[in-house]
Amino acid sequence: MPAPQPPLNCPPGLEYLSQIDQILVHQQIELLEVLIGFETNNKYEIKNSLGQRVYFAVEDNDCCTRNCCGPSRPFNLKILDNLGREVVTMERPLRCSSCCFPCCLQEIEIQAPPGVPIGYVTQKWHPCLPKFTVQNERREDVLKIIGPCIVCSCCSDIDFEIKSLDEQTVVGKITKQWSGIVREAFTDADNFGIQFPLDLDVKIKAVMLGACFLIDFMFFESTDNQQQKSGVW
């Protein structure tokens, strides 16, 4: 039986995403952070539903930016395939971390291959809820992501729902998974699950990965001088 053909206009290295409707993102525990609180570059394993690693993501940042700007820091995130080839680059600029400044909220750009934008995730102002708009490479709105009013990881999972533009239909979700009391209390290494329609454009599936990383940094990343946020404020 012939192998399935990748979808048209699929960026190289992302063919596997066209075959799946869910993916797991597991942040690696950094011993230096646990022992002395020194912020290191974040690293993540990206796995399929069977727990097999399909990609690896690593933050590319300097020591000063990581430890001075904390969770609000700008970053480049490189996604590598199992052969070590960079297939996606994600860029987060330095933006305001509070909804008090609605003109300069959070954003991340996703490129595949590196240097070629395929989509964006932009935070939208709301007084209570974390809201994001998913855009394609032409900056056209495609989907919305809406989180809970209180983002508190306490013995339960937290869902950020992926919705249609009219916010009437839930088509998927990004879930911050409860990792156990020890891991949650003593590390900021988080686990996420992403669910999306199987027939979703493969580029938008990659953009959903970018949304997951942006949500992680905004709400679940903590340093010695900045604790994780419990909401948009």
Side-chain angles (χ1 to χ4, degrees):
M1 184 176 179
Q5 294 297 311
L8 295 175
N9 301 319
C10 177
L14 298 187
E15 295 84 1
Y16 183 73
L17 289 181
S18 66
Q19 307 171 34
I20 57 176
D21 61 0
Q22 59 181 305
I23 201 162
L24 306 175
V25 179
H26 292 169
Q27 185 176 354
Q28 293 190 333
I29 296 176
E30 298 295 334
L31 189 59
L32 200 59
E33 289 188 19
V34 176
L35 294 178
I36 63 174
F38 183 84
E39 187 68 22
T40 60
N41 280 322
N42 285 0
K43 300 180 181 68
Y44 305 83
E45 287 190 310
I46 302 170
K47 304 177 180 181
N48 60 20
S49 58
L50 300 177
Q52 300 165 325
R53 193 176 90 175
V54 293
Y55 298 106
F56 185 77
V58 59
E59 178 187 359
D60 183 12
N61 223 330
D62 62 85
C63 175
C64 181
T65 300
R66 290 196 310 270
N67 288 278
C68 293
C69 298
S72 302
R73 63 187 182 265
F75 62 75
N76 283 1
L77 197 72
K78 299 179 180 180
I79 295 184
L80 314 174
D81 64 14
N82 284 330
L83 297 178
R85 298 175 297 195
E86 184 178 350
V87 295
V88 179
T89 295
M90 301 181 179
E91 295 184 356
R92 178 201 190 188
L94 182 62
R95 294 290 181 91
C96 294
S97 59
S98 170
C99 278
C100 293
F101 303 95
C103 60
C104 194
L105 296 179
Q106 295 296 311
E107 179 178 283
I108 191 168
E109 176 183 297
I110 294 83
Q111 305 170 4
V116 180
I118 61 169
Y120 306 82
V121 180
T122 60
Q123 183 186 9
K124 298 301 179 183
W125 187 88
H126 192 277
C128 300
L129 299 176
K131 282 195 169 188
F132 303 88
T133 298
V134 178
Q135 301 175 322
N136 62 19
E137 66 270 28
R138 296 181 295 277
R139 287 277 189 177
E140 298 167 339
D141 294 351
V142 177
L143 293 167
K144 291 188 176 182
I145 301 173
I146 302 175
C149 180
I150 302 298
V151 182
C152 180
S153 180
C154 184
C155 301
S156 63
D157 294 348
I158 301 172
D159 290 334
F160 289 74
E161 293 182 330
I162 303 169
K163 293 188 172 184
S164 57
L165 290 178
D166 61 8
E167 300 184 15
Q168 298 302 305
T169 305
V170 177
V171 300
K173 61 183 179 179
I174 298 172
T175 302
K176 162 63 172 66
Q177 299 170 338
W178 172 252
S179 302
I181 187 65
V182 174
R183 186 178 178 121
E184 295 283 347
F186 295 102
T187 79
D188 62 357
D190 301 309
N191 292 337
F192 290 85
I194 309 174
Q195 298 178 24
F196 37 61
L198 182 63
D199 60 353
L200 185 66
D201 186 334
V202 67
K203 294 180 182 179
I204 301 302
K205 290 182 180 181
V207 174
M208 289 301 171
L209 269 174
C212 178
F213 293 125
L214 182 60
I215 288 169
D216 182 31
F217 272 84
M218 286 182 64
F219 299 105
F220 304 107
E221 181 83 358
S222 61
T223 62
D224 277 354
N225 58 351
Q226 287 183 269
Q227 297 303 309
Q228 76 175 48
K229 295 170 64 177
S230 60
V232 294
W233 299 99

Short mmCIF file of all heavy atoms in Angstrom, two decimals, residues 88-133:
data_model
loop_
_atom_site.label_atom_id
_atom_site.label_comp_id
_atom_site.label_asym_id
_atom_site.label_seq_id
_atom_site.Cartn_x
_atom_site.Cartn_y
_atom_site.Cartn_z
N VAL A 88 10.90 24.40 12.28
CA VAL A 88 10.04 25.53 12.66
C VAL A 88 10.84 26.47 13.55
O VAL A 88 11.63 26.02 14.39
CB VAL A 88 8.78 25.06 13.42
CG1 VAL A 88 7.92 26.25 13.82
CG2 VAL A 88 7.95 24.08 12.60
N THR A 89 10.62 27.77 13.36
CA THR A 89 11.16 28.78 14.26
C THR A 89 9.99 29.60 14.78
O THR A 89 9.08 29.95 14.02
CB THR A 89 12.16 29.71 13.55
OG1 THR A 89 13.30 28.95 13.16
CG2 THR A 89 12.62 30.83 14.48
N MET A 90 9.99 29.88 16.08
CA MET A 90 8.96 30.71 16.68
C MET A 90 9.61 31.92 17.33
O MET A 90 10.59 31.77 18.06
CB MET A 90 8.16 29.91 17.71
CG MET A 90 7.48 28.69 17.12
SD MET A 90 6.53 27.75 18.34
CE MET A 90 5.88 26.43 17.29
N GLU A 91 9.06 33.10 17.07
CA GLU A 91 9.64 34.33 17.58
C GLU A 91 8.59 35.09 18.40
O GLU A 91 7.51 35.40 17.90
CB GLU A 91 10.15 35.22 16.45
CG GLU A 91 11.31 34.60 15.67
CD GLU A 91 11.87 35.54 14.62
OE1 GLU A 91 11.30 36.65 14.43
OE2 GLU A 91 12.86 35.18 13.98
N ARG A 92 8.95 35.36 19.65
CA ARG A 92 8.09 36.17 20.53
C ARG A 92 8.80 37.48 20.83
O ARG A 92 9.87 37.49 21.44
CB ARG A 92 7.81 35.43 21.83
CG ARG A 92 6.96 36.22 22.83
CD ARG A 92 7.13 35.69 24.24
NE ARG A 92 6.17 36.24 25.19
CZ ARG A 92 6.23 36.06 26.50
NH1 ARG A 92 7.22 35.34 27.03
NH2 ARG A 92 5.32 36.60 27.29
N PRO A 93 8.23 38.62 20.41
CA PRO A 93 8.85 39.90 20.72
C PRO A 93 8.58 40.31 22.16
O PRO A 93 7.72 39.73 22.84
CB PRO A 93 8.17 40.86 19.74
CG PRO A 93 6.82 40.26 19.51
CD PRO A 93 7.01 38.75 19.60
N LEU A 94 9.29 41.31 22.64
CA LEU A 94 9.05 41.84 23.98
C LEU A 94 7.80 42.70 23.95
O LEU A 94 7.72 43.68 23.22
CB LEU A 94 10.25 42.67 24.44
CG LEU A 94 10.16 43.26 25.86
CD1 LEU A 94 10.07 42.17 26.90
CD2 LEU A 94 11.35 44.17 26.13
N ARG A 95 6.82 42.30 24.74
CA ARG A 95 5.55 43.02 24.80
C ARG A 95 5.12 43.19 26.25
O ARG A 95 5.70 42.61 27.16
CB ARG A 95 4.46 42.25 24.03
CG ARG A 95 4.70 42.17 22.52
CD ARG A 95 4.51 43.52 21.85
NE ARG A 95 4.70 43.47 20.42
CZ ARG A 95 3.71 43.23 19.55
NH1 ARG A 95 2.49 42.98 19.99
NH2 ARG A 95 3.96 43.23 18.26
N CYS A 96 4.06 43.96 26.46
CA CYS A 96 3.52 44.18 27.80
C CYS A 96 2.93 42.88 28.33
O CYS A 96 2.34 42.10 27.58
CB CYS A 96 2.45 45.26 27.78
SG CYS A 96 3.09 46.90 27.37
N SER A 97 3.06 42.66 29.62
CA SER A 97 2.54 41.45 30.24
C SER A 97 1.26 41.70 31.01
O SER A 97 0.79 40.83 31.73
CB SER A 97 3.59 40.85 31.20
OG SER A 97 3.92 41.79 32.21
N SER A 98 0.67 42.88 30.85
CA SER A 98 -0.56 43.21 31.58
C SER A 98 -1.59 43.75 30.62
O SER A 98 -1.26 44.45 29.65
CB SER A 98 -0.29 44.25 32.67
OG SER A 98 -1.50 44.73 33.22
N CYS A 99 -2.86 43.45 30.86
CA CYS A 99 -3.95 43.97 30.05
C CYS A 99 -4.19 45.45 30.30
O CYS A 99 -5.11 46.04 29.71
CB CYS A 99 -5.22 43.17 30.30
SG CYS A 99 -5.27 41.63 29.36
N CYS A 100 -3.42 46.08 31.18
CA CYS A 100 -3.52 47.52 31.36
C CYS A 100 -3.04 48.26 30.11
O CYS A 100 -3.31 49.45 29.95
CB CYS A 100 -2.68 47.97 32.55
SG CYS A 100 -3.28 47.38 34.15
N PHE A 101 -2.32 47.56 29.23
CA PHE A 101 -1.77 48.18 28.04
C PHE A 101 -2.28 47.43 26.81
O PHE A 101 -1.57 46.62 26.20
CB PHE A 101 -0.24 48.16 28.07
CG PHE A 101 0.33 48.84 29.28
CD1 PHE A 101 0.67 48.10 30.41
CD2 PHE A 101 0.51 50.21 29.31
CE1 PHE A 101 1.19 48.73 31.54
CE2 PHE A 101 1.02 50.84 30.44
CZ PHE A 101 1.37 50.10 31.55
N PRO A 102 -3.55 47.67 26.40
CA PRO A 102 -4.17 46.86 25.35
C PRO A 102 -3.57 47.08 23.96
O PRO A 102 -3.86 46.31 23.05
CB PRO A 102 -5.63 47.32 25.39
CG PRO A 102 -5.60 48.68 26.00
CD PRO A 102 -4.47 48.65 26.98
N CYS A 103 -2.74 48.10 23.79
CA CYS A 103 -2.19 48.37 22.47
C CYS A 103 -0.92 47.58 22.21
O CYS A 103 -0.38 47.63 21.10
CB CYS A 103 -1.91 49.86 22.30
SG CYS A 103 -0.73 50.50 23.50
N CYS A 104 -0.41 46.87 23.20
CA CYS A 104 0.89 46.20 23.04
C CYS A 104 0.87 44.86 23.76
O CYS A 104 1.70 44.59 24.62
CB CYS A 104 2.00 47.10 23.58
SG CYS A 104 3.66 46.61 23.09
N LEU A 105 -0.09 44.01 23.38
CA LEU A 105 -0.24 42.72 24.05
C LEU A 105 0.63 41.66 23.39
O LEU A 105 1.33 41.90 22.42
CB LEU A 105 -1.72 42.32 24.03
CG LEU A 105 -2.66 43.25 24.81
CD1 LEU A 105 -4.10 42.78 24.71
CD2 LEU A 105 -2.24 43.37 26.27
N GLN A 106 0.56 40.46 23.95
CA GLN A 106 1.47 39.38 23.56
C GLN A 106 1.21 38.85 22.15
O GLN A 106 0.09 38.85 21.66
CB GLN A 106 1.35 38.24 24.56
CG GLN A 106 1.79 38.59 25.96
CD GLN A 106 3.27 38.91 26.03
OE1 GLN A 106 4.09 38.17 25.52
NE2 GLN A 106 3.62 40.01 26.67
N GLU A 107 2.28 38.38 21.52
CA GLU A 107 2.20 37.84 20.16
C GLU A 107 3.34 36.87 19.94
O GLU A 107 4.41 36.99 20.53
CB GLU A 107 2.25 38.97 19.13
CG GLU A 107 2.19 38.50 17.68
CD GLU A 107 2.19 39.67 16.70
OE1 GLU A 107 1.13 40.31 16.56
OE2 GLU A 107 3.25 39.95 16.10
N ILE A 108 3.11 35.89 19.07
CA ILE A 108 4.18 34.99 18.64
C ILE A 108 4.03 34.74 17.15
O ILE A 108 2.90 34.61 16.65
CB ILE A 108 4.17 33.68 19.45
CG1 ILE A 108 5.44 32.87 19.18
CG2 ILE A 108 2.92 32.86 19.19
CD1 ILE A 108 5.64 31.70 20.15
N GLU A 109 5.14 34.72 16.44
CA GLU A 109 5.15 34.45 15.00
C GLU A 109 5.75 33.07 14.77
O GLU A 109 6.77 32.72 15.35
CB GLU A 109 5.97 35.50 14.27
CG GLU A 109 6.12 35.25 12.76
CD GLU A 109 7.00 36.27 12.08
OE1 GLU A 109 6.62 37.47 12.07
OE2 GLU A 109 8.08 35.89 11.57
N ILE A 110 5.10 32.29 13.90
CA ILE A 110 5.56 30.94 13.61
C ILE A 110 6.06 30.91 12.16
O ILE A 110 5.37 31.37 11.25
CB ILE A 110 4.42 29.90 13.82
CG1 ILE A 110 4.05 29.83 15.30
CG2 ILE A 110 4.87 28.52 13.36
CD1 ILE A 110 3.07 30.89 15.75
N GLN A 111 7.27 30.37 11.97
CA GLN A 111 7.90 30.30 10.66
C GLN A 111 8.22 28.85 10.31
O GLN A 111 8.77 28.12 11.14
CB GLN A 111 9.19 31.12 10.64
CG GLN A 111 9.02 32.56 11.05
CD GLN A 111 10.36 33.26 11.26
OE1 GLN A 111 11.42 32.69 11.03
NE2 GLN A 111 10.30 34.52 11.70
N ALA A 112 7.89 28.43 9.09
CA ALA A 112 8.23 27.08 8.62
C ALA A 112 8.26 27.10 7.09
O ALA A 112 7.23 27.34 6.46
CB ALA A 112 7.22 26.06 9.12
N PRO A 113 9.45 26.85 6.52
CA PRO A 113 10.75 26.70 7.18
C PRO A 113 11.19 28.02 7.82
O PRO A 113 10.55 29.06 7.58
CB PRO A 113 11.67 26.29 6.02
CG PRO A 113 11.02 26.88 4.80
CD PRO A 113 9.55 26.77 5.04
N PRO A 114 12.24 28.00 8.64
CA PRO A 114 12.68 29.22 9.31
C PRO A 114 12.86 30.37 8.33
O PRO A 114 13.45 30.21 7.25
CB PRO A 114 14.03 28.80 9.92
CG PRO A 114 13.87 27.33 10.16
CD PRO A 114 13.05 26.82 9.02
N GLY A 115 12.28 31.51 8.68
CA GLY A 115 12.34 32.69 7.82
C GLY A 115 11.10 32.91 6.99
O GLY A 115 10.92 33.97 6.39
N VAL A 116 10.21 31.91 6.95
CA VAL A 116 8.97 32.00 6.15
C VAL A 116 7.77 31.96 7.11
O VAL A 116 7.42 30.90 7.61
CB VAL A 116 8.88 30.86 5.13
CG1 VAL A 116 7.59 30.99 4.32
CG2 VAL A 116 10.09 30.84 4.22
N PRO A 117 7.13 33.10 7.38
CA PRO A 117 5.99 33.10 8.31
C PRO A 117 4.83 32.26 7.77
O PRO A 117 4.47 32.36 6.60
CB PRO A 117 5.61 34.58 8.42
CG PRO A 117 6.84 35.33 7.98
CD PRO A 117 7.49 34.46 6.95
N ILE A 118 4.24 31.45 8.66
CA ILE A 118 3.05 30.67 8.29
C ILE A 118 1.86 30.99 9.18
O ILE A 118 0.75 30.51 8.93
CB ILE A 118 3.32 29.15 8.33
CG1 ILE A 118 3.72 28.71 9.75
CG2 ILE A 118 4.36 28.76 7.31
CD1 ILE A 118 3.74 27.21 9.94
N GLY A 119 2.06 31.80 10.22
CA GLY A 119 0.94 32.13 11.08
C GLY A 119 1.38 32.90 12.31
O GLY A 119 2.58 33.03 12.61
N TYR A 120 0.37 33.38 13.02
CA TYR A 120 0.61 34.21 14.21
C TYR A 120 -0.44 33.86 15.26
O TYR A 120 -1.55 33.43 14.95
CB TYR A 120 0.49 35.70 13.86
CG TYR A 120 1.36 36.15 12.73
CD1 TYR A 120 0.96 35.97 11.40
CD2 TYR A 120 2.59 36.75 12.96
CE1 TYR A 120 1.77 36.38 10.34
CE2 TYR A 120 3.40 37.17 11.92
CZ TYR A 120 2.98 36.98 10.61
OH TYR A 120 3.78 37.38 9.57
N VAL A 121 -0.07 34.09 16.52
CA VAL A 121 -1.02 34.04 17.62
C VAL A 121 -0.92 35.37 18.35
O VAL A 121 0.17 35.76 18.80
CB VAL A 121 -0.72 32.88 18.59
CG1 VAL A 121 -1.75 32.86 19.73
CG2 VAL A 121 -0.72 31.55 17.86
N THR A 122 -2.04 36.09 18.43
CA THR A 122 -2.03 37.41 19.04
C THR A 122 -3.02 37.44 20.20
O THR A 122 -4.14 36.94 20.10
CB THR A 122 -2.41 38.50 18.02
OG1 THR A 122 -3.72 38.23 17.50
CG2 THR A 122 -1.43 38.52 16.87
N GLN A 123 -2.60 38.03 21.31
CA GLN A 123 -3.48 38.19 22.46
C GLN A 123 -4.47 39.32 22.18
O GLN A 123 -4.10 40.37 21.63
CB GLN A 123 -2.67 38.51 23.71
CG GLN A 123 -3.51 38.62 24.98
CD GLN A 123 -2.72 39.08 26.18
OE1 GLN A 123 -1.56 39.47 26.05
NE2 GLN A 123 -3.31 39.04 27.36
N LYS A 124 -5.72 39.11 22.55
CA LYS A 124 -6.77 40.13 22.40
C LYS A 124 -7.18 40.63 23.78
O LYS A 124 -7.29 39.85 24.72
CB LYS A 124 -7.98 39.57 21.65
CG LYS A 124 -7.65 39.13 20.22
CD LYS A 124 -7.10 40.29 19.40
CE LYS A 124 -6.76 39.87 17.99
NZ LYS A 124 -6.15 40.98 17.21
N TRP A 125 -7.44 41.92 23.88
CA TRP A 125 -7.77 42.50 25.17
C TRP A 125 -9.12 42.01 25.65
O TRP A 125 -10.11 41.97 24.91
CB TRP A 125 -7.79 44.02 25.10
CG TRP A 125 -7.96 44.64 26.45
CD1 TRP A 125 -6.96 44.97 27.32
CD2 TRP A 125 -9.19 44.98 27.11
NE1 TRP A 125 -7.49 45.50 28.48
CE2 TRP A 125 -8.86 45.51 28.38
CE3 TRP A 125 -10.53 44.88 26.74
CZ2 TRP A 125 -9.81 45.96 29.28
CZ3 TRP A 125 -11.50 45.31 27.65
CH2 TRP A 125 -11.14 45.84 28.90
N HIS A 126 -9.17 41.60 26.92
CA HIS A 126 -10.41 41.25 27.59
C HIS A 126 -10.21 41.49 29.08
O HIS A 126 -9.14 41.17 29.61
CB HIS A 126 -10.79 39.79 27.32
CG HIS A 126 -12.18 39.44 27.75
ND1 HIS A 126 -12.52 39.12 29.05
CD2 HIS A 126 -13.35 39.38 27.04
CE1 HIS A 126 -13.81 38.88 29.12
NE2 HIS A 126 -14.35 39.03 27.92
N PRO A 127 -11.20 42.04 29.78
CA PRO A 127 -10.99 42.38 31.18
C PRO A 127 -10.84 41.17 32.11
O PRO A 127 -10.29 41.31 33.20
CB PRO A 127 -12.25 43.18 31.55
CG PRO A 127 -13.28 42.73 30.57
CD PRO A 127 -12.52 42.46 29.30
N CYS A 128 -11.33 40.00 31.68
CA CYS A 128 -11.32 38.84 32.57
C CYS A 128 -10.68 37.60 31.99
O CYS A 128 -10.02 36.84 32.71
CB CYS A 128 -12.76 38.50 32.99
SG CYS A 128 -13.62 39.84 33.86
N LEU A 129 -10.87 37.35 30.70
CA LEU A 129 -10.48 36.07 30.11
C LEU A 129 -9.21 36.19 29.28
O LEU A 129 -9.01 37.19 28.58
CB LEU A 129 -11.60 35.54 29.22
CG LEU A 129 -12.95 35.25 29.88
CD1 LEU A 129 -13.97 34.83 28.82
CD2 LEU A 129 -12.82 34.18 30.94
N PRO A 130 -8.35 35.17 29.31
CA PRO A 130 -7.25 35.10 28.35
C PRO A 130 -7.82 34.77 26.96
O PRO A 130 -8.44 33.73 26.77
CB PRO A 130 -6.38 33.95 28.87
CG PRO A 130 -6.88 33.66 30.25
CD PRO A 130 -8.32 34.06 30.27
N LYS A 131 -7.63 35.68 26.01
CA LYS A 131 -8.16 35.48 24.67
C LYS A 131 -7.06 35.68 23.64
O LYS A 131 -6.27 36.63 23.74
CB LYS A 131 -9.32 36.44 24.38
CG LYS A 131 -10.64 36.05 25.02
CD LYS A 131 -11.79 36.84 24.39
CE LYS A 131 -13.13 36.28 24.83
NZ LYS A 131 -14.25 36.90 24.09
N PHE A 132 -7.05 34.80 22.64
CA PHE A 132 -6.05 34.86 21.59
C PHE A 132 -6.73 34.63 20.24
O PHE A 132 -7.72 33.90 20.15
CB PHE A 132 -4.96 33.80 21.79
CG PHE A 132 -4.27 33.87 23.12
CD1 PHE A 132 -4.78 33.21 24.22
CD2 PHE A 132 -3.10 34.61 23.26
CE1 PHE A 132 -4.15 33.27 25.45
CE2 PHE A 132 -2.46 34.68 24.50
CZ PHE A 132 -2.98 34.01 25.59
N THR A 133 -6.17 35.23 19.21
CA THR A 133 -6.63 34.98 17.85
C THR A 133 -5.53 34.29 17.07
O THR A 133 -4.36 34.71 17.12
CB THR A 133 -7.01 36.30 17.14
OG1 THR A 133 -8.09 36.91 17.84
CG2 THR A 133 -7.45 36.03 15.71
#
